[in-house]
Amino acid sequence: MRNLRNSVQLIGNVGSAPEVKAFDSGRVKATCSIATNSSYKNQKGEKIEETQWHNLVFWGKLAEVVSEYVKKGNEIAIEGKLIHRAYDGPKGEKRYITEITVNDMMMLGGKKR
Amino acid sequence: MRNLRNSVQLIGNVGSAPEVKAFDSGRVKATCSIATNSSYKNQKGEKIEETQWHNLVFWGKLAEVVSEYVKKGNEIAIEGKLIHRAYDGPKGEKRYITEITVNDMMMLGGKKR
Amino acid sequence: MRNLRNSVQLIGNVGSAPEVKAFDSGRVKATCSIATNSSYKNQKGEKIEETQWHNLVFWGKLAEVVSEYVKKGNEIAIEGKLIHRAYDGPKGEKRYITEITVNDMMMLGGKKR
Amino acid sequence: MRNLRNSVQLIGNVGSAPEVKAFDSGRVKATCSIATNSSYKNQKGEKIEETQWHNLVFWGKLAEVVSEYVKKGNEIAIEGKLIHRAYDGPKGEKRYITEITVNDMMMLGGKKR
DNA sequence: TTTT
DNA sequence: TTTT
């Protein structure tokens, strides 16, 4: 039932080469960020460009695909789950991060890319 | 084109009464948080309950509907846009928040609730 | 990759009790239709109610859940894949049907229903 | 509320040049079909390619964009509403068609296409 | 801070 | 054939 309760879809460009980490358990994790661009007109009629950066996390088979094929600048589409979590910073303070655990990924634009 | 590039759908329960703010411009903003619940079995076979809390922001007509009808505990479905933004904390430090600007909202379960 | 290429989400009311069929292979199939209602104002300013009926198909575990819990009139949310297929009518003519093969289903409105 | 009750997302390739029709009222309609491809392994382990063809309908500004930029073979992403309707065939018989009324469209793959 |  |  996960998909219906918490689902995110993004189409955007990858900000840098994915980081890949293999755990002792054999599990593989890949992370990258993706920019989604939109534009709108403000009250003065000026066109405003707005970019949002999102943190993506891929696991298992999908992480392997990402580590092999996804390059900086590629346009991709993803579907995932929105996660907010806390972790301890270097000085012991609480830090918060929002990530999308990706369930599905497509590379867009055909083989040229 | 916004919808296809950045879209979130959530179904969950409202954590507390919405906060409503009317601006001098006449624009109305409502905010609330919603919990999405899921459960999974861990490697030991134990059932783990996991709750994610999300910040929702409603504007205009939708904010008015929310302020009038949405109560603590209600189950709602929303579609919106995932936004990450920075603001200055009380000590001048940068703080970060993730919000969903809601485009569409439905109250679930009929009038009984 | 299926989910990103072809995905439908519906929220609506079940039109009649699901039909369940168990195959010799042990596989279970359940079908039902659901109505999605919307309203809009026409050019004369009259409120027009519009109902769309959709054919849903559930397989396996999900079909069992549907056959046990889903009743006529229930409000459900589904995510699935849009399928168009042809079959032979009683006079040998080609007939066409559109169905949604459901991947995920939620019953809305709590146990009260 | 339309979007949450009835929403379809497709990513696929356009099957032929869009057909465009301008009505006396000034309203513009464009239609095309789009193929979504998926593959799966059957019980014998053979890879099966499956293509679904969907009918898309665009109105107004979006129809104009489609008529100008969308060509046969282009990869596009759309979000829309699933509609089933009846019309009279040439012999007065009832015919049924399923269409997606598109709310949002993106051309994928950059300007190269 | 919700709900089942 | 549903629901509000």
Side-chain angles (χ1 to χ4, degrees), chain A residues 1-5 9-10 62 65 77-79 104-107, chain C residues 1-5 9-10 62 65 77-79 104-107:
Chain A
M1 307 298 130
R2 187 186 50 183
N3 233 30
L4 278 166
R5 292 196 174 278
Q9 299 90 46
L10 302 173
L62 208 47
V65 171
I78 63 97
E79 189 279 332
D104 194 4
M105 191 272 302
M106 265 182 74
M107 301 189 65
Chain C
M1 307 296 129
R2 188 185 51 180
N3 232 30
L4 277 164
R5 292 196 174 277
Q9 299 91 46
L10 302 173
L62 209 46
V65 171
I78 64 96
E79 189 279 332
D104 194 4
M105 189 272 301
M106 264 181 76
M107 299 189 67

Side-chain angles (χ1 to χ4, degrees), chain A residues 29-61:
Chain A
K29 177 188 186 180
T31 55
C32 69
S33 58
I34 167 178
T36 55
N37 302 292
S38 59
S39 64
Y40 62 94
K41 288 191 180 165
N42 68 9
Q43 294 175 317
K44 295 177 188 171
E46 300 160 335
K47 190 177 179 181
I48 305 294
E49 293 280 346
E50 190 187 66
T51 298
Q52 291 286 330
W53 286 95
H54 311 272
N55 301 307
L56 306 183
V57 180
F58 305 84
W59 289 97
K61 180 67 183 162

Side-chain angles (χ1 to χ4, degrees), chain A:
Chain A
M1 307 298 130
R2 187 186 50 183
N3 233 30
L4 278 166
R5 292 196 174 278
N6 181 339
S7 179
V8 186
Q9 299 90 46
L10 302 173
I11 297 178
N13 299 287
V14 174
S16 55
E19 291 179 28
V20 184
K21 186 173 176 183
F23 290 87
D24 292 343
S25 64
R27 204 128 161 77
V28 180
K29 177 188 186 180
T31 55
C32 69
S33 58
I34 167 178
T36 55
N37 302 292
S38 59
S39 64
Y40 62 94
K41 288 191 180 165
N42 68 9
Q43 294 175 317
K44 295 177 188 171
E46 300 160 335
K47 190 177 179 181
I48 305 294
E49 293 280 346
E50 190 187 66
T51 298
Q52 291 286 330
W53 286 95
H54 311 272
N55 301 307
L56 306 183
V57 180
F58 305 84
W59 289 97
K61 180 67 183 162
L62 208 47
E64 292 172 27
V65 171
V66 166
S67 74
E68 186 162 353
Y69 296 106
V70 173
K71 310 298 179 196
K72 179 177 177 175
N74 280 177
E75 187 178 32
I76 65 174
I78 63 97
E79 189 279 332
K81 183 181 179 179
L82 186 57
I83 303 288
H84 316 279
R85 65 184 176 80
Y87 64 100
D88 295 320
K91 297 173 188 159
E93 81 282 17
K94 278 279 176 250
R95 291 195 176 174
Y96 300 92
I97 188 171
T98 293
E99 295 171 330
I100 295 153
T101 304
V102 177
N103 297 317
D104 194 4
M105 191 272 302
M106 265 182 74
M107 301 189 65
L108 302 177
K111 284 187 177 167
K112 298 154 200 166
R113 307 195 142 212

Side-chain angles (χ1 to χ4, degrees), chain B residues 1-5 9-10 62 65 77-79 104-107, chain D residues 1-5 9-10 62 65 77-79 104-107:
Chain B
M1 307 297 129
R2 190 184 52 181
N3 232 30
L4 277 166
R5 293 196 172 279
Q9 299 90 45
L10 302 173
L62 209 47
V65 171
I78 64 96
E79 189 278 333
D104 193 5
M105 189 271 304
M106 264 183 76
M107 299 189 66
Chain D
M1 306 298 130
R2 187 185 52 181
N3 232 30
L4 277 165
R5 290 197 175 279
Q9 299 89 46
L10 303 173
L62 208 47
V65 171
I78 63 96
E79 188 279 331
D104 194 5
M105 190 271 302
M106 265 183 74
M107 300 189 66

